[in-house]
Amino acid sequence: MLRWVRQQLGFDPPHQSDTRTIYIANRFPQHGHYVPQKFADNRIISSKYTVWNFVPKNLFEQFRRVANFYFLIIFLVQLMIDTPTSPITSGLPLFFVITVTAIKQGYEDWLRHKADNEVNGAPVYVVRSGGLVKTRSKNIRVGDIVRVAKDETFPADLVLLSSDRVDGSCHVTTASLDGETNLKTHVAVPETAVLQSVANLDKLVAVIECQQPEADLYRFVGRITVSQQTEEIVRPLGPESLLLRGARLKNTKEIFGVAVYTGMETKMALNYKSKSQKRSAVEKSMNSFLIIYLIILLFEAILSTILKYAWQAEEKWDEPWYNGKTEHERNSSKILRFISDFLAFLVLYNFIIPISLYVTVEMQKFLGSFFIGWDLDLYHKETNQRAQVNTSDLNEELGQVEYVFTDKTGTLTENEMQFRECSINGIKYQEVNGKLTPEGFSEDSPDGNRHSLMREEELFLKAVCLCHTVQINADQTDGADGPWHANGIASPLEYYASSPDEKALVEAASRVGVVFTGTSGDSMEVKSLGKPERYKLLHVLEFDPNRRRMSVIVESPSGEKLLFTKGAESSILPRSKSGEIDKTRIHVDEFALKGLRTLCIAYRRFTPEEYQEIGKRLHEARTALQQREERLADVFNFIERDLELLGATGVEDKLQEKVQETIEALRVAGIKVWVLTGDKHETAVSVSLSCGHFHRTMNILELVQHKSDSTCAEQLRQLAKRIKEDHVIQHGLVVDGTSLSLALREHEKLFMEVCKNCSAVLCCRMAPLQKAKVVRLLKTSPEKPITLAIGDGANDVSMIQEAHVGIGIMGKEGRQAVRNSDYAIARFKFLSKLLFVHGHFYYIRIATLVQYFFYKNVCFITPQFLYQFFCLFSQQTLYDSVYLTLYNICFTSLPVLIYSLFEQNVHPHVLQSKPVLYRDISKNAHLGFKPFLYWTILGFFHAFVFFYGSYLLMGEDTSLLGNGQMFGNWTFGTLVFTVMVITVTMKMALETHFWTWINHFVTWGSIVFYFIFSLFYGGIIWPFLHTQDMYFVFVQLLSSGSAWFAIILIVVACLFIDVLKKVLYRHLQPTSTEKAQMEEDKGSVSSACDFAESRHRGEDNRQLLDPSSLPDSSYVH
């Protein structure tokens, strides 16, 4: 029990050893004292709550919010002491807010439960007691042998035992895990591959030892020991043997696998990254404002308590004749009485803190986020993809971005590779009409029109065709001997590849005469100018980012053992000892200057002795359970040396459409763009120039290829000096990964200074974590700028999660970036609409919403404070308790919510065509201290006008009612409340620029509802109310002509100053946005045109609101 508690608290991890031992089919050893290891069951749990913990857990989370906790305290105070208002006045709004939030969160969690149950209840087939047993997915245990059929997903992480193919191989797509759509080949060990029936598998006696679960999808270290008769055979298990939960079986009839990781220990579940909660700048401002208002509240409560006791110092006011004290009150402690009075005033003024602000903001964010998904301008027709919102908490942050960090490949470019040039044996070639033509030769020249390939060319193309992970569509492999063209080239095969570069190279080789026709067993088949050749695949040395290369060892038809290697020039050229190294290096740099992606290709021949040594070393490293990666890296480095360079390739990645215009618009909007890429220096600079990130007129500074701290620091100082000297012209900075590491280690401040003075920064040769480091560096700099990161691949995830706003591109590199992002769009060009239009609207709406809430609560409570000066600080309430309760919930809640959903202060087309308007809202301009102070002072001013206006007009002459009756305090309070409801609603109307029928309905409807409610509430005796102070008060008030005069006069007096201020500022000191509004108004020829425009915009809005107008109306947000 104690251990379980320690595990739950995280002190005692459940897995004590580094490895787990799995007995296949759960055949545990019969001898000895074997204690089975405990493993997780196969249930997937993505939900947050259960039926039992929902109420306590949800309440705990909600009361962590300052405002909710504060109102709970106030409610408890009202229950404990005699306070001027009923506990219902605090309790009901609190209950409403808590209930609405709990329903929303409960519904979202119910959907998660539903999805979990669907997954956990899926039918699966397991081998038990010599037969196939149908069971549910959640019942699979570690050690069970599971059967999976074609197109089914794997229900747990399985080690492949056998398939319907003799060699025990199968094809898998991992699109749902890492987004890679290519078919990956997985293979079983030879000893189990032959066991293709249930009966044979049931006799299998084997043990798997492997590492404990970890999140890395591409790492698996284990070994299988198979007992056959008297001997035990040990085979290594790697990622190629592991079938991951969530992946799908393709082109294979069925497979059998043994479950090694189940449920929440599968790699898929471990990759459910609990994203750190990002908080927007607006939320931080909101909390600051709440604290200021809490200080105002405490000040008012303390002042009222002190004045009460100062007043009561005079005996005639301490115990007036009409209000004598009881014996208990006379004898009670003065300190306790002071505390009691202070708490009573705190309760009386507590509505200055707007409790419904949180729930309104949540509703606004949740409902407002649908507009992004419904926006047809963000819909990409070719791929049928619409924008996606993964978190609605950051909508307004889209309007505050100061830095954009973007990946290059697949984000700025299409990630569609086209073979352009290659260098073979020091000669440059281009592809002309399906033939390799040396540079300088045309197709018509004698040497340009050849049907044969030279030996070096053929060897180069064979290396391209053999060194890759490309798969062929299974439906085509049988027909590879099909129609042949005149030049001996097969009709195009359909290739699948995890890397678009590989696919482009294999396709290019097939066009010029060397065709990869597929694999069968451990052989790779190639047709060179129509002549089939079969190479035996002996070993694959997988690609990894540290080596930056991949290799294959094959046996040629003549029996020769060959190593073919391809990779970045920085990892191939230093390892080459022969071939045209210098010429190739020049050619690689030339390709890079044209913006092409480059790869170098080399080979090596092995003697039988060398190959034997290599095979032994590889087997030892691959069967090691400890430090397998390090050992393999050492062996790979030992093998990939003394290479003979064959040549290099140049592949073009086309720029996405409108990238140049988007980057220019971001620059005009005052947003700095940084490009972070893994590409080599020259390629990255070339693409930066072509996409407009760097201008031709820009002075490009470089901080590259530094190996030591001292040289890096010296270069940084020189760059800073140059920027100061040439401060007139724009600068662009290029940094590479190694120099960046040095710069960040010791000279962070200097590096930041240089970067901030550059208009554009390009970081090349970046590792994924370096990208995140750069984002964090800027994010945490003293200015605290708002950052946005955009990328399309798994290597961009850390950067996307680090930035304030993360945007995933739905590209060809999979869905990992999209899944980990806050927003997802199909193309980079959509970023301008997302920021300049949606970001602008969301920010304006929520800035006004937050400040309006504080304003209307100041208007609400200040008259209550002023009233105490007229009632001897007796804590008499000015308003009826029903009005206190319903003011924020009913009378003033809808106009501001509708405003915050539909407001468009400038037409969307104007915002997109004038990116400079984005500068008007940057740096939290509308939620800074000045606007907050203006709204607060306006609230106090309006409150004084409400109270003293009503007092001056009605207070002295108290017999103004039609029947000669006198005004009472409830009539006075109701007059103040009526004026207040009308004024704050009209103030919202003044702030609204874009009127729809919904705005009209809720604005005027709120005022009408208040009047109708008051007539019903005061006109009927309600049996369930124990006191009814308001009976007939409202009806009598409205029967007085002077009351109507007072209402109109006070409302006009309040709003006149506000209108005057707006008019003067608009004409004397207009912002860019206000100028755009005036230009928009002048553009309307007549009022009829105005009406037509308004109607057209209304239709636009309705079109946005109507998901059925999208091509696929089944879309669910």
Side-chain angles (χ1 to χ4, degrees):
M1 181 68 187
L2 184 65
R3 187 179 165 198
W4 181 84
V5 171
R6 285 171 63 81
Q7 279 181 19
Q8 298 308 304
L9 293 172
F11 298 131
D12 189 15
H15 307 301
Q16 294 298 322
S17 65
D18 294 333
T19 60
R20 54 168 56 187
T21 305
I22 298 148
Y23 290 87
I24 292 180
N26 291 308
R27 285 198 181 82
F28 301 119
Q30 300 303 311
H31 57 276
H33 300 287
Y34 173 70
V35 180
Q37 284 177 289
K38 292 271 192 297
F39 301 120
D41 61 20
N42 201 36
R43 282 179 306 153
I44 285 287
I45 302 163
S46 63
S47 54
K48 196 173 176 181
Y49 306 108
T50 64
V51 175
W52 310 111
N53 74 9
F54 175 72
V55 173
K57 198 171 179 181
N58 189 267
L59 287 177
F60 172 71
E61 283 173 359
Q62 291 208 54
F63 284 119
R64 274 159 58 185
R65 283 186 162 171
V66 178
N68 290 351
F69 185 69
Y70 161 78
F71 268 88
L72 178 68
I73 297 296
I74 293 291
F75 176 63
L76 295 174
V77 167
Q78 283 178 296
L79 289 174
M80 286 189 291
I81 66 166
D82 180 23
T83 54
T85 56
S86 158
I88 294 171
T89 56
S90 293
L92 196 64
L94 179 65
F95 177 75
F96 173 75
V97 168
I98 296 292
T99 307
V100 168
T101 310
I103 289 169
K104 175 182 170 272
Q105 291 178 350
Y107 173 70
E108 286 172 354
D109 205 59
W110 175 74
L111 291 178
R112 286 192 283 266
H113 269 286
K114 204 173 158 189
D116 288 349
N117 292 340
E118 210 172 298
V119 171
N120 294 331
V124 291
Y125 287 93
V126 178
V127 177
R128 283 188 188 149
S129 311
L132 269 183
V133 178
K134 187 177 179 179
T135 183
R136 291 179 185 275
S137 172
K138 63 182 178 184
N139 298 328
I140 293 174
R141 295 169 299 168
V142 170
D144 279 345
I145 298 174
V146 183
R147 193 204 88 174
V148 180
K150 185 180 176 182
D151 290 329
E152 288 181 357
T153 55
F154 301 115
D157 286 355
L158 312 172
V159 164
L160 179 61
L161 294 177
S162 66
S163 72
D164 64 324
R165 298 180 183 180
V166 183
D167 60 355
S169 67
C170 70
H171 293 304
V172 166
T173 173
T174 56
S176 61
L177 294 172
D178 56 12
E180 293 181 4
T181 52
N182 65 301
L183 296 181
K184 296 188 171 77
T185 306
H186 289 257
V187 287
V189 298
E191 285 71 27
T192 63
V194 294
L195 308 173
Q196 292 179 306
S197 68
V198 173
N200 289 339
L201 281 164
D202 197 46
K203 294 171 191 163
L204 173 66
V205 178
V207 180
I208 290 174
E209 290 170 273
C210 61
Q211 62 187 156
Q212 293 291 6
E214 67 166 24
D216 190 340
L217 293 175
Y218 309 107
R219 188 170 180 270
F220 177 66
V221 178
R223 64 180 173 216
I224 183 168
T225 308
V226 183
S227 303
Q228 287 185 345
Q229 283 92 34
T230 54
E231 62 172 338
E232 288 188 344
I233 298 160
V234 180
R235 294 280 182 190
L237 297 173
E240 72 287 343
S241 309
L242 189 69
L243 306 169
L244 300 178
R245 177 175 190 142
R248 194 177 287 273
L249 185 64
K250 290 281 184 187
N251 292 1
T252 313
K253 194 177 161 191
E254 65 172 16
I255 65 101
F256 289 96
V258 60
V260 286
Y261 305 129
T262 49
M264 297 310 287
E265 292 184 339
T266 57
K267 289 184 181 285
M268 181 180 85
L270 294 172
N271 272 281
Y272 288 155
K273 185 164 172 57
S274 53
K275 286 194 273 187
S276 59
Q277 193 61 40
K278 293 182 181 179
R279 289 170 69 224
S280 69
V282 168
E283 202 176 323
K284 290 168 192 166
S285 301
M286 231 158 76
N287 288 342
S288 311
F289 298 161
L290 274 172
I291 290 163
I292 292 169
Y293 270 63
L294 207 56
I295 293 165
I296 293 171
L297 169 68
L298 291 169
F299 170 74
E300 286 184 354
I302 292 167
L303 181 65
S304 299
T305 314
I306 292 167
L307 288 175
K308 178 178 180 173
Y309 282 91
W311 209 296
Q312 287 180 356
E314 285 186 58
E315 203 170 318
K316 65 172 180 173
W317 295 122
D318 184 34
E319 196 176 343
W321 59 270
Y322 56 82
N323 193 11
K325 287 183 182 177
T326 63
E327 198 62 37
H328 175 70
E329 284 174 333
R330 284 197 190 97
N331 297 331
S332 63
S333 158
K334 279 193 174 180
I335 294 169
L336 283 176
R337 281 211 324 265
F338 185 90
I339 292 168
S340 177
D341 281 328
F342 168 72
L343 290 173
F345 279 119
L346 208 60
V347 167
L348 195 62
Y349 305 146
N350 80 78
F351 281 95
I352 197 167
I353 306 291
I355 185 171
S356 51
L357 173 61
Y358 277 125
V359 77
T360 311
V361 165
E362 262 193 30
M363 285 168 75
Q364 189 269 345
K365 287 183 174 185
F366 176 67
L367 296 171
S369 63
F370 284 93
F371 289 113
I372 290 177
W374 290 338
D375 189 346
L376 292 177
D377 290 340
L378 300 181
Y379 169 71
H380 192 243
K381 199 174 177 181
E382 287 78 14
T383 54
N384 188 27
Q385 288 169 327
R386 40 177 84 69
Q388 191 177 309
V389 179
N390 296 331
T391 173
S392 57
D393 291 344
L394 303 167
N395 294 342
E396 65 280 0
E397 209 81 325
L398 293 169
Q400 294 296 295
V401 175
E402 292 169 65
Y403 282 86
V404 167
F405 297 92
T406 172
D407 175 40
K408 181 184 78 66
T409 309
T411 305
L412 300 178
T413 62
E414 286 284 8
N415 205 6
E416 266 180 21
M417 308 299 171
Q418 288 173 322
F419 176 78
R420 285 284 175 250
E421 293 183 61
C422 65
S423 165
I424 305 173
N425 203 31
I427 301 167
K428 271 210 288 191
Y429 291 82
Q430 288 174 329
E431 186 191 347
V432 181
N433 293 338
K435 296 184 187 70
L436 271 187
T437 309
E439 194 178 51
F441 290 94
S442 69
E443 196 187 348
D444 305 325
S445 61
D447 285 357
N449 194 9
R450 298 171 301 150
H451 285 280
S452 61
L453 291 166
M454 288 163 62
R455 181 188 161 277
E456 292 87 355
E457 295 169 357
E458 193 175 353
L459 188 59
F460 175 85
L461 292 169
K462 280 179 184 172
V464 167
C465 281
L466 293 168
C467 186
H468 58 70
T469 56
V470 174
Q471 301 293 328
I472 292 178
N473 188 341
D475 302 333
Q476 290 188 305
T477 47
D478 304 331
D481 294 318
W484 289 79
H485 293 206
N487 61 356
I489 300 170
S491 60
L493 292 161
E494 193 180 343
Y495 293 114
Y496 293 100
S498 52
S499 156
D501 302 64
E502 283 193 338
K503 188 182 175 199
L505 291 173
V506 172
E507 283 174 346
S510 75
R511 288 195 299 272
V512 296
V514 181
V515 185
F516 168 62
T517 57
T519 56
S520 75
D522 58 357
S523 297
M524 297 180 84
E525 291 166 8
V526 173
K527 278 185 178 156
S528 179
L529 294 176
K531 191 178 84 182
E533 291 179 12
R534 183 170 287 212
Y535 287 80
K536 188 177 181 187
L537 181 63
L538 301 169
H539 296 285
V540 177
L541 280 55
E542 297 83 3
F543 174 85
D544 70 64
N546 300 324
R547 278 168 47 244
R548 298 183 68 83
R549 59 184 180 270
M550 81 157 285
S551 304
V552 292
I553 300 175
V554 294
E555 187 180 310
S556 70
S558 60
E560 242 185 329
K561 306 285 194 300
L562 300 170
L563 168 86
F564 288 113
T565 302
K566 72 164 183 220
E569 89 291 341
S570 57
S571 68
I572 300 286
L573 296 181
R575 300 185 154 269
S576 302
K577 65 166 188 180
S578 58
E580 296 287 350
I581 297 171
D582 294 331
K583 284 184 182 176
T584 305
R585 185 178 275 116
I586 293 165
H587 290 166
V588 165
D589 290 342
E590 285 174 11
F591 294 163
L593 284 170
K594 293 178 185 173
L596 304 181
R597 291 163 66 90
T598 58
L599 282 174
C600 285
I601 292 168
Y603 85 116
R604 178 184 172 186
R605 297 174 196 275
F606 294 122
T607 62
E609 295 77 26
E610 281 175 334
Y611 178 72
Q612 205 171 350
E613 168 72 7
I614 283 163
K616 186 182 161 196
R617 285 195 179 203
L618 268 174
H619 182 73
E620 281 173 7
R622 283 195 162 135
T623 51
L625 279 179
Q626 305 296 328
Q627 297 177 321
R628 185 182 288 185
E629 277 88 354
E630 293 84 342
R631 289 189 182 189
L632 277 173
D634 292 342
V635 177
F636 288 174
N637 284 330
F638 173 73
I639 297 168
E640 295 164 331
R641 61 196 173 96
D642 301 336
L643 304 172
E644 190 173 327
L645 188 65
L646 289 170
T649 60
V651 174
E652 183 186 36
D653 191 1
K654 207 168 64 179
L655 271 183
Q656 280 187 25
E657 118 188 74
K658 292 193 177 171
V659 163
Q660 204 161 349
E661 294 90 325
T662 306
I663 288 178
E664 189 50 43
L666 291 170
R667 192 175 280 125
V668 172
I671 298 170
K672 287 193 174 180
V673 181
W674 287 37
V675 175
L676 312 179
T677 177
D679 268 357
K680 71 189 294 284
H681 173 202
E682 293 82 1
T683 309
V685 170
S686 170
V687 172
S688 271
L689 284 164
S690 63
C691 73
H693 177 236
F694 283 168
H695 284 302
R696 300 280 169 195
T697 53
M698 221 178 240
N699 180 20
I700 295 175
L701 311 169
E702 291 189 345
L703 182 70
V704 291
Q705 293 177 341
H706 288 286
K707 297 283 187 288
S708 71
D709 258 351
S710 53
T711 59
C712 184
E714 182 55 37
Q715 178 71 359
L716 272 170
R717 279 190 279 272
Q718 282 182 9
L719 294 179
K721 192 179 169 189
R722 273 181 70 183
I723 290 170
K724 274 181 189 165
E725 287 167 2
D726 306 335
H727 58 87
V728 183
I729 57 168
Q730 287 188 323
H731 299 278
L733 177 69
V734 184
V735 194
D736 64 3
T738 49
S739 307
L740 183 79
S741 299
L742 294 169
L744 296 187
R745 200 182 300 159
E746 297 288 331
H747 319 288
E748 201 173 282
K749 225 173 180 181
L750 187 58
F751 176 68
M752 282 304 298
E753 193 187 320
V754 170
C755 287
K756 281 179 182 170
N757 290 317
C758 290
S759 310
V761 179
L762 167 67
C763 302
C764 52
R765 286 283 188 243
M766 298 281 281
L769 281 173
Q770 276 185 313
K771 291 184 178 185
K773 263 187 191 168
V774 170
V775 176
R776 193 183 307 126
L777 180 70
L778 261 144
K779 198 172 130 180
T780 54
S781 64
E783 293 83 16
K784 300 271 188 296
I786 303 295
T787 57
L788 178 148
I790 179 167
D792 72 320
N795 59 334
D796 304 315
V797 169
S798 50
M799 161 176 95
I800 284 170
Q801 289 182 335
E802 184 61 51
H804 291 95
V805 183
I807 296 186
I809 295 274
M810 302 168 188
K812 294 185 173 62
E813 281 194 35
R815 285 285 179 274
Q816 243 177 316
V818 170
R819 280 210 317 274
N820 288 282
S821 64
D822 304 306
Y823 302 89
I825 50 178
R827 286 291 177 271
F828 184 79
K829 65 176 178 180
F830 295 150
L831 188 62
S832 60
K833 173 110 195 236
L834 196 64
L835 299 186
F836 304 152
V837 179
H838 289 285
H840 189 106
F841 286 159
Y842 284 134
Y843 178 71
I844 291 291
R845 291 165 185 171
I846 204 152
T848 308
L849 165 76
V850 169
Q851 295 181 120
Y852 175 78
F853 251 94
F854 285 106
Y855 152 79
K856 73 185 177 82
N857 280 45
V858 167
C859 289
F860 183 36
I861 284 305
T862 308
Q864 180 80 69
F865 172 67
L866 298 173
Y867 184 57
Q868 296 308 304
F869 288 87
F870 292 84
C871 70
L872 210 59
F873 295 94
S874 61
Q875 295 145 11
Q876 169 62 38
T877 176
L878 177 62
Y879 315 119
D880 182 69
S881 59
V882 171
Y883 284 161
L884 275 172
T885 308
L886 298 183
Y887 175 74
N888 275 321
I889 295 176
C890 295
F891 301 145
T892 58
S893 59
L894 277 179
V896 67
L897 178 63
I898 296 302
Y899 168 92
S900 67
L901 289 174
F902 296 117
E903 173 62 357
Q904 296 181 15
N905 61 335
V906 185
H907 196 286
H909 297 313
V910 176
L911 285 175
Q912 209 165 352
S913 60
K914 294 186 175 178
V916 73
L917 299 180
Y918 193 80
R919 290 174 185 249
D920 277 0
I921 60 165
S922 62
K923 298 192 187 296
N924 208 6
H926 289 248
L927 260 180
F929 189 68
K930 273 187 182 174
F932 168 68
L933 198 64
Y934 165 72
W935 279 90
T936 304
I937 291 168
L938 186 70
F940 278 115
F941 167 70
H942 283 183
F944 273 79
V945 175
F946 299 154
F947 186 82
Y948 286 109
S950 301
Y951 181 73
L952 291 171
L953 288 167
M954 320 274 312
E956 295 300 318
D957 187 357
T958 53
S959 60
L960 281 173
L961 294 177
N963 59 4
Q965 280 186 338
M966 293 175 71
F967 257 51
N969 66 319
W970 292 118
T971 316
F972 176 71
T974 306
L975 176 65
V976 172
F977 193 81
T978 306
V979 169
M980 177 170 59
V981 168
I982 296 170
T983 306
V984 296
T985 308
M986 293 294 289
K987 169 66 181 161
M988 189 75 264
L990 279 178
E991 293 299 313
T992 306
H993 293 89
F994 180 51
W995 285 87
T996 64
W997 67 267
I998 306 176
N999 293 74
H1000 282 291
F1001 178 74
V1002 297
T1003 302
W1004 316 121
S1006 291
I1007 297 171
V1008 171
F1009 172 74
Y1010 165 68
F1011 276 88
I1012 292 171
F1013 173 83
S1014 298
L1015 287 169
F1016 271 93
Y1017 172 57
I1020 299 169
I1021 294 178
W1022 300 98
F1024 52 82
L1025 295 174
H1026 60 88
T1027 59
Q1028 198 153 349
D1029 300 324
M1030 295 298 292
Y1031 181 65
F1032 234 62
V1033 167
F1034 196 70
V1035 179
Q1036 285 183 332
L1037 178 70
L1038 295 189
S1039 68
S1040 165
S1042 49
W1044 282 103
F1045 173 73
I1047 290 168
I1048 293 164
L1049 192 67
I1050 294 167
V1051 170
V1052 170
C1054 281
L1055 297 176
F1056 177 73
I1057 305 288
D1058 202 39
V1059 172
L1060 191 68
K1061 179 248 171 194
K1062 277 181 182 289
V1063 170
L1064 288 173
Y1065 265 84
R1066 206 176 175 84
H1067 286 88
L1068 299 176
Q1069 275 186 313
T1071 61
S1072 307
T1073 308
E1074 285 166 346
K1075 285 176 188 170
Q1077 286 170 346
M1078 287 190 275
E1079 280 171 30
E1080 200 184 330
D1081 293 340
K1082 283 175 193 169
S1084 308
V1085 180
S1086 64
S1087 58
C1089 291
D1090 260 307
F1091 173 71
E1093 170 71 6
S1094 172
R1095 199 173 70 180
H1096 173 66
R1097 283 169 69 181
E1099 281 165 6
D1100 278 356
N1101 226 50
R1102 280 196 293 280
Q1103 188 184 29
L1104 285 177
L1105 276 167
D1106 181 15
S1108 64
S1109 63
L1110 290 172
D1112 177 12
S1113 60
S1114 64
Y1115 169 57
V1116 178
H1117 191 277

